Amino acid sequence: MRLLRPYMFENRASELMKRAMRLAKEADGAKVGAILAGPEGEIVSEGANDRSSPFLHAEAIALREAWAKLGPSGFKECTLFCTLEPCAMCAGASLLFKVGRIVFGAWDPSAGACGSVWDIPRDAPGGWKTEVVGGFMAEECSKILKDGFSDIR
């Protein structure tokens, strides 16, 4: 079993999630933001939902951007910070990229795939299991989503 360094929860986790929340507020459509942080807490990539395509979720954008920088084996000590629990597509992509840890804010009881509806990172067959921490700064992340939906209506 591998152990990721807990540095983010001691030093930078709140700062990184707040950055993801700022991205979420700027998102086009559903107010979701994501940050991929490297092993020392540095921001590797970031994304915000883009409704021009159903594939342009914040997490997918951040992972795609990071691929060019890190290559196929650079994700194992990275943490993906998301303001909303990743869906099946994004949780699956995180698993395929072998992201070390997912930290998300708001739970998604309708489509969440990191513990709510499914638990893809921990239930997937094969050798890789992604550590998941849910509900981190959940109230703040939920408020951004609710405010975003009220703006759309």
Side-chain angles (χ1 to χ4, degrees):
M1 172 182 238
R2 73 195 191 299
L3 294 174
L4 295 173
R5 289 177 258 174
Y7 69 92
M8 288 190 181
F9 292 100
E10 296 169 8
N11 301 326
R12 301 225 31 226
S14 296
E15 176 187 335
L16 291 165
M17 186 61 89
K18 285 176 184 176
R19 172 68 186 145
M21 286 188 264
R22 284 191 296 274
L23 290 167
K25 290 176 183 176
E26 299 167 6
D28 181 24
K31 301 297 185 186
V32 179
I35 299 282
L36 185 74
E40 299 303 321
E42 72 281 8
I43 294 175
V44 175
S45 60
E46 52 189 35
N49 272 11
D50 180 345
R51 69 175 155 185
S52 68
S53 168
F55 298 106
L56 295 178
H57 292 192
E59 304 92 331
I61 292 168
L63 290 170
R64 183 182 66 193
E65 182 182 314
W67 180 267
K69 296 176 184 177
L70 301 176
S73 61
F75 292 81
K76 293 178 180 177
E77 289 193 25
C78 290
T79 300
L80 183 63
F81 284 86
C82 317
T83 56
L84 178 66
E85 179 181 5
C87 68
M89 177 183 74
C90 295
S94 297
L95 190 65
L96 290 172
F97 280 66
K98 294 185 176 176
V99 172
R101 180 187 293 131
I102 297 171
V103 176
F104 68 85
W107 293 90
D108 185 351
S110 62
C114 291
S116 288
V117 179
W118 302 284
D119 200 349
I120 290 172
R122 292 173 285 207
D123 290 343
W128 189 261
K129 303 288 186 212
T130 297
E131 179 184 344
V132 176
V133 177
F136 183 67
M137 300 178 74
E139 282 186 38
E140 298 96 319
C141 292
S142 294
K143 182 175 180 351
I144 293 167
L145 285 162
K146 289 175 187 169
D147 290 349
F149 284 121
S150 67
D151 291 346
I152 292 171
R153 293 178 193 151

